[in-house]
Amino acid sequence: MQPENAHQARVLTSLRRNGPQAAVELAAQLSLSRSKIGQELARLEEMGFVERAGKAESRGGRRSGLVQLSGRLRFVGVDIGATSLDVGVIDGRLDIVAQTSEVIDIEAGPEPILCRAVEMIGKLRAAGHLPTLDGIGVGVPGPVSFRDGFTVSPPIMPGWDRFPVREHIMQQFECPVLVDNDVNLMAVGEMYSGLAQSVADFLFVKIGTGIGCGIVTGHRVLRGSNGSAGDVGHIALHDTGPVCRCGRTGCLEACFSGAALSRDATALARGGESPGLRELLAGRDVLTAEDVGVAMRAGDPQALGLVRDGGRRLGRVLSGLVNFCNPAMIVVGGGVSKLGHVLLAEVRSELYRRSTPLATSNLPIVLSELGDNAGILGAAAMISDHVLGVPPES
Ligand SMILES: [Zn+2]
């Protein structure tokens, strides 16, 4: 079910942004007559989008009835990562009401993973968290053809190329479904619920196994003509250097990413150059980016060096992006961002050094506060916008 006309969409947009309101306020705000707004509200109530919400505070005259988004509206966000599957339920105001998470391996292929996602949604429904299911947003860790609802040539996802993710989920649940790249959706999560709520133009940089960037301009995600905008992990830093999983050499994420940190830390531990990392490797095959953080915090100079080098490389690429599109904020998220302020300090100093003063004056570079929730929030917010007919803020 979707709103029947532009007036209804504007009513729903206003109720989502501003909370419960009286019909007279909505009429004034949207320049509609009282009888027209009454008619549209009655239809929206019949369709299950809005409900009565008690009386407004008396201002001396008659107290008027408030309306609000239905407390039964529910949108599901599915965030498929390389190693984790997160499913969350949000209400009409974009607050999380329930969530669940599992460990996966994206290389298992689309069918078993989407099957797990469907089961997780089923469990949330069985637990009473989905009185209605009004739409599902899905994020996948690769380039997505947004129009077609499938992934296109994803480098780390064998079997996912052109797999009809949207159709598959729609067959299980009769509701609208949209699919987008996970980093784009994390950016949407930051735009609605995170630190970027106050700005129209920002970059969201995810540092996980790889590196990606969500580009938001004028409150809209820039997807590019084939859905691969923001694939900054494959910007070349060097002509030579480590071979990237994309097959080229010298890419940012071949030099710095969760995978690169794991590779470099493991080599340092094996070579005996870092006693701290060597100790952590005992009895294991490889170290992780998390281990690098542990060794760094324990004062290991080699681990600290890896993080600082990585921060400088990321800062260098970001300086190009800042010079190019002049964002008002950069939000850094993803598992590797847990390396925290040491990483951020290095990114900042390199970025400020290499960007034009006008582009960096008043440019906050901050760590995401949404953590693992950014993906599910963004996925659910995307489908909520679609179902309620919410246009981007202008
Ligand atoms: Zn590459």
mmCIF file with all atom_site columns, all heavy atoms in Angstrom, residues 133-147:
data_model
loop_
_atom_site.group_PDB
_atom_site.id
_atom_site.type_symbol
_atom_site.label_atom_id
_atom_site.label_alt_id
_atom_site.label_comp_id
_atom_site.label_asym_id
_atom_site.label_entity_id
_atom_site.label_seq_id
_atom_site.pdbx_PDB_ins_code
_atom_site.Cartn_x
_atom_site.Cartn_y
_atom_site.Cartn_z
_atom_site.occupancy
_atom_site.B_iso_or_equiv
_atom_site.pdbx_formal_charge
_atom_site.auth_seq_id
_atom_site.auth_comp_id
_atom_site.auth_asym_id
_atom_site.auth_atom_id
_atom_site.pdbx_PDB_model_num
ATOM 1   N N   . LEU A 1 133 ? 3.956  -5.552 7.923   1.00 0.00 ? 133 LEU A N   1
ATOM 2   C CA  . LEU A 1 133 ? 5.273  -5.499 7.265   1.00 0.00 ? 133 LEU A CA  1
ATOM 3   C C   . LEU A 1 133 ? 5.089  -4.627 6.037   1.00 0.00 ? 133 LEU A C   1
ATOM 4   O O   . LEU A 1 133 ? 4.496  -5.029 5.051   1.00 0.00 ? 133 LEU A O   1
ATOM 5   C CB  . LEU A 1 133 ? 5.753  -6.911 6.901   1.00 0.00 ? 133 LEU A CB  1
ATOM 6   C CG  . LEU A 1 133 ? 7.092  -7.003 6.143   1.00 0.00 ? 133 LEU A CG  1
ATOM 7   C CD1 . LEU A 1 133 ? 8.172  -6.150 6.773   1.00 0.00 ? 133 LEU A CD1 1
ATOM 8   C CD2 . LEU A 1 133 ? 7.560  -8.448 6.054   1.00 0.00 ? 133 LEU A CD2 1
ATOM 9   N N   . ASP A 1 134 ? 5.545  -3.375 6.133   1.00 0.00 ? 134 ASP A N   1
ATOM 10  C CA  . ASP A 1 134 ? 5.216  -2.390 5.114   1.00 0.00 ? 134 ASP A CA  1
ATOM 11  C C   . ASP A 1 134 ? 6.284  -2.254 4.037   1.00 0.00 ? 134 ASP A C   1
ATOM 12  O O   . ASP A 1 134 ? 6.055  -1.587 3.033   1.00 0.00 ? 134 ASP A O   1
ATOM 13  C CB  . ASP A 1 134 ? 4.956  -1.043 5.793   1.00 0.00 ? 134 ASP A CB  1
ATOM 14  C CG  . ASP A 1 134 ? 3.779  -1.152 6.759   1.00 0.00 ? 134 ASP A CG  1
ATOM 15  O OD1 . ASP A 1 134 ? 2.645  -1.259 6.264   1.00 0.00 ? 134 ASP A OD1 1
ATOM 16  O OD2 . ASP A 1 134 ? 3.987  -1.205 7.981   1.00 0.00 ? 134 ASP A OD2 1
ATOM 17  N N   . GLY A 1 135 ? 7.439  -2.866 4.248   1.00 0.00 ? 135 GLY A N   1
ATOM 18  C CA  . GLY A 1 135 ? 8.477  -2.811 3.219   1.00 0.00 ? 135 GLY A CA  1
ATOM 19  C C   . GLY A 1 135 ? 9.793  -3.333 3.763   1.00 0.00 ? 135 GLY A C   1
ATOM 20  O O   . GLY A 1 135 ? 10.022 -3.332 4.969   1.00 0.00 ? 135 GLY A O   1
ATOM 21  N N   . ILE A 1 136 ? 10.651 -3.789 2.837   1.00 0.00 ? 136 ILE A N   1
ATOM 22  C CA  . ILE A 1 136 ? 11.955 -4.327 3.242   1.00 0.00 ? 136 ILE A CA  1
ATOM 23  C C   . ILE A 1 136 ? 13.038 -3.668 2.391   1.00 0.00 ? 136 ILE A C   1
ATOM 24  O O   . ILE A 1 136 ? 12.941 -3.627 1.164   1.00 0.00 ? 136 ILE A O   1
ATOM 25  C CB  . ILE A 1 136 ? 12.008 -5.863 3.041   1.00 0.00 ? 136 ILE A CB  1
ATOM 26  C CG1 . ILE A 1 136 ? 10.887 -6.549 3.833   1.00 0.00 ? 136 ILE A CG1 1
ATOM 27  C CG2 . ILE A 1 136 ? 13.374 -6.419 3.460   1.00 0.00 ? 136 ILE A CG2 1
ATOM 28  C CD1 . ILE A 1 136 ? 10.783 -8.047 3.588   1.00 0.00 ? 136 ILE A CD1 1
ATOM 29  N N   . GLY A 1 137 ? 14.067 -3.145 3.050   1.00 0.00 ? 137 GLY A N   1
ATOM 30  C CA  . GLY A 1 137 ? 15.227 -2.606 2.352   1.00 0.00 ? 137 GLY A CA  1
ATOM 31  C C   . GLY A 1 137 ? 16.391 -3.559 2.579   1.00 0.00 ? 137 GLY A C   1
ATOM 32  O O   . GLY A 1 137 ? 16.568 -4.073 3.683   1.00 0.00 ? 137 GLY A O   1
ATOM 33  N N   . VAL A 1 138 ? 17.165 -3.796 1.530   1.00 0.00 ? 138 VAL A N   1
ATOM 34  C CA  . VAL A 1 138 ? 18.270 -4.754 1.629   1.00 0.00 ? 138 VAL A CA  1
ATOM 35  C C   . VAL A 1 138 ? 19.572 -4.102 1.172   1.00 0.00 ? 138 VAL A C   1
ATOM 36  O O   . VAL A 1 138 ? 19.623 -3.491 0.096   1.00 0.00 ? 138 VAL A O   1
ATOM 37  C CB  . VAL A 1 138 ? 18.006 -5.998 0.739   1.00 0.00 ? 138 VAL A CB  1
ATOM 38  C CG1 . VAL A 1 138 ? 19.108 -7.043 0.932   1.00 0.00 ? 138 VAL A CG1 1
ATOM 39  C CG2 . VAL A 1 138 ? 16.641 -6.606 1.029   1.00 0.00 ? 138 VAL A CG2 1
ATOM 40  N N   . GLY A 1 139 ? 20.626 -4.217 1.979   1.00 0.00 ? 139 GLY A N   1
ATOM 41  C CA  . GLY A 1 139 ? 21.949 -3.734 1.590   1.00 0.00 ? 139 GLY A CA  1
ATOM 42  C C   . GLY A 1 139 ? 22.868 -4.914 1.316   1.00 0.00 ? 139 GLY A C   1
ATOM 43  O O   . GLY A 1 139 ? 22.881 -5.882 2.078   1.00 0.00 ? 139 GLY A O   1
ATOM 44  N N   . VAL A 1 140 ? 23.605 -4.848 0.211   1.00 0.00 ? 140 VAL A N   1
ATOM 45  C CA  . VAL A 1 140 ? 24.565 -5.912 -0.118  1.00 0.00 ? 140 VAL A CA  1
ATOM 46  C C   . VAL A 1 140 ? 25.947 -5.290 -0.349  1.00 0.00 ? 140 VAL A C   1
ATOM 47  O O   . VAL A 1 140 ? 26.055 -4.165 -0.821  1.00 0.00 ? 140 VAL A O   1
ATOM 48  C CB  . VAL A 1 140 ? 24.136 -6.719 -1.363  1.00 0.00 ? 140 VAL A CB  1
ATOM 49  C CG1 . VAL A 1 140 ? 22.886 -7.523 -1.082  1.00 0.00 ? 140 VAL A CG1 1
ATOM 50  C CG2 . VAL A 1 140 ? 23.924 -5.818 -2.557  1.00 0.00 ? 140 VAL A CG2 1
ATOM 51  N N   . PRO A 1 141 ? 27.015 -6.038 -0.012  1.00 0.00 ? 141 PRO A N   1
ATOM 52  C CA  . PRO A 1 141 ? 28.359 -5.448 -0.070  1.00 0.00 ? 141 PRO A CA  1
ATOM 53  C C   . PRO A 1 141 ? 28.993 -5.473 -1.450  1.00 0.00 ? 141 PRO A C   1
ATOM 54  O O   . PRO A 1 141 ? 30.062 -6.039 -1.641  1.00 0.00 ? 141 PRO A O   1
ATOM 55  C CB  . PRO A 1 141 ? 29.151 -6.314 0.916   1.00 0.00 ? 141 PRO A CB  1
ATOM 56  C CG  . PRO A 1 141 ? 28.502 -7.648 0.837   1.00 0.00 ? 141 PRO A CG  1
ATOM 57  C CD  . PRO A 1 141 ? 27.047 -7.404 0.545   1.00 0.00 ? 141 PRO A CD  1
ATOM 58  N N   . GLY A 1 142 ? 28.338 -4.880 -2.436  1.00 0.00 ? 142 GLY A N   1
ATOM 59  C CA  . GLY A 1 142 ? 28.899 -4.820 -3.780  1.00 0.00 ? 142 GLY A CA  1
ATOM 60  C C   . GLY A 1 142 ? 28.092 -3.832 -4.602  1.00 0.00 ? 142 GLY A C   1
ATOM 61  O O   . GLY A 1 142 ? 27.079 -3.328 -4.133  1.00 0.00 ? 142 GLY A O   1
ATOM 62  N N   . PRO A 1 143 ? 28.542 -3.555 -5.833  1.00 0.00 ? 143 PRO A N   1
ATOM 63  C CA  . PRO A 1 143 ? 27.778 -2.628 -6.679  1.00 0.00 ? 143 PRO A CA  1
ATOM 64  C C   . PRO A 1 143 ? 26.388 -3.192 -6.989  1.00 0.00 ? 143 PRO A C   1
ATOM 65  O O   . PRO A 1 143 ? 26.239 -4.401 -7.193  1.00 0.00 ? 143 PRO A O   1
ATOM 66  C CB  . PRO A 1 143 ? 28.613 -2.548 -7.966  1.00 0.00 ? 143 PRO A CB  1
ATOM 67  C CG  . PRO A 1 143 ? 29.928 -3.166 -7.650  1.00 0.00 ? 143 PRO A CG  1
ATOM 68  C CD  . PRO A 1 143 ? 29.730 -4.096 -6.506  1.00 0.00 ? 143 PRO A CD  1
ATOM 69  N N   . VAL A 1 144 ? 25.395 -2.309 -6.980  1.00 0.00 ? 144 VAL A N   1
ATOM 70  C CA  . VAL A 1 144 ? 24.013 -2.750 -7.185  1.00 0.00 ? 144 VAL A CA  1
ATOM 71  C C   . VAL A 1 144 ? 23.389 -1.949 -8.322  1.00 0.00 ? 144 VAL A C   1
ATOM 72  O O   . VAL A 1 144 ? 23.578 -0.739 -8.413  1.00 0.00 ? 144 VAL A O   1
ATOM 73  C CB  . VAL A 1 144 ? 23.195 -2.507 -5.895  1.00 0.00 ? 144 VAL A CB  1
ATOM 74  C CG1 . VAL A 1 144 ? 21.701 -2.670 -6.147  1.00 0.00 ? 144 VAL A CG1 1
ATOM 75  C CG2 . VAL A 1 144 ? 23.646 -3.449 -4.785  1.00 0.00 ? 144 VAL A CG2 1
ATOM 76  N N   . SER A 1 145 ? 22.668 -2.642 -9.197  1.00 0.00 ? 145 SER A N   1
ATOM 77  C CA  . SER A 1 145 ? 21.813 -1.927 -10.133 1.00 0.00 ? 145 SER A CA  1
ATOM 78  C C   . SER A 1 145 ? 20.538 -1.638 -9.360  1.00 0.00 ? 145 SER A C   1
ATOM 79  O O   . SER A 1 145 ? 19.716 -2.532 -9.137  1.00 0.00 ? 145 SER A O   1
ATOM 80  C CB  . SER A 1 145 ? 21.519 -2.772 -11.376 1.00 0.00 ? 145 SER A CB  1
ATOM 81  O OG  . SER A 1 145 ? 20.486 -2.134 -12.102 1.00 0.00 ? 145 SER A OG  1
ATOM 82  N N   . PHE A 1 146 ? 20.384 -0.397 -8.907  1.00 0.00 ? 146 PHE A N   1
ATOM 83  C CA  . PHE A 1 146 ? 19.270 -0.034 -8.023  1.00 0.00 ? 146 PHE A CA  1
ATOM 84  C C   . PHE A 1 146 ? 17.932 -0.297 -8.713  1.00 0.00 ? 146 PHE A C   1
ATOM 85  O O   . PHE A 1 146 ? 16.992 -0.794 -8.119  1.00 0.00 ? 146 PHE A O   1
ATOM 86  C CB  . PHE A 1 146 ? 19.427 1.449  -7.655  1.00 0.00 ? 146 PHE A CB  1
ATOM 87  C CG  . PHE A 1 146 ? 18.422 1.923  -6.668  1.00 0.00 ? 146 PHE A CG  1
ATOM 88  C CD1 . PHE A 1 146 ? 18.448 1.476  -5.353  1.00 0.00 ? 146 PHE A CD1 1
ATOM 89  C CD2 . PHE A 1 146 ? 17.446 2.833  -7.040  1.00 0.00 ? 146 PHE A CD2 1
ATOM 90  C CE1 . PHE A 1 146 ? 17.518 1.927  -4.432  1.00 0.00 ? 146 PHE A CE1 1
ATOM 91  C CE2 . PHE A 1 146 ? 16.512 3.284  -6.121  1.00 0.00 ? 146 PHE A CE2 1
ATOM 92  C CZ  . PHE A 1 146 ? 16.547 2.837  -4.819  1.00 0.00 ? 146 PHE A CZ  1
ATOM 93  N N   . ARG A 1 147 ? 17.883 0.012  -10.005 1.00 0.00 ? 147 ARG A N   1
ATOM 94  C CA  . ARG A 1 147 ? 16.634 -0.150 -10.763 1.00 0.00 ? 147 ARG A CA  1
ATOM 95  C C   . ARG A 1 147 ? 16.237 -1.626 -10.840 1.00 0.00 ? 147 ARG A C   1
ATOM 96  O O   . ARG A 1 147 ? 15.076 -1.985 -10.695 1.00 0.00 ? 147 ARG A O   1
ATOM 97  C CB  . ARG A 1 147 ? 16.845 0.423  -12.161 1.00 0.00 ? 147 ARG A CB  1
ATOM 98  C CG  . ARG A 1 147 ? 15.583 0.630  -12.961 1.00 0.00 ? 147 ARG A CG  1
ATOM 99  C CD  . ARG A 1 147 ? 15.924 0.879  -14.411 1.00 0.00 ? 147 ARG A CD  1
ATOM 100 N NE  . ARG A 1 147 ? 16.785 -0.187 -14.934 1.00 0.00 ? 147 ARG A NE  1
ATOM 101 C CZ  . ARG A 1 147 ? 17.716 -0.030 -15.868 1.00 0.00 ? 147 ARG A CZ  1
ATOM 102 N NH1 . ARG A 1 147 ? 17.926 1.159  -16.377 1.00 0.00 ? 147 ARG A NH1 1
ATOM 103 N NH2 . ARG A 1 147 ? 18.437 -1.045 -16.295 1.00 0.00 ? 147 ARG A NH2 1
#
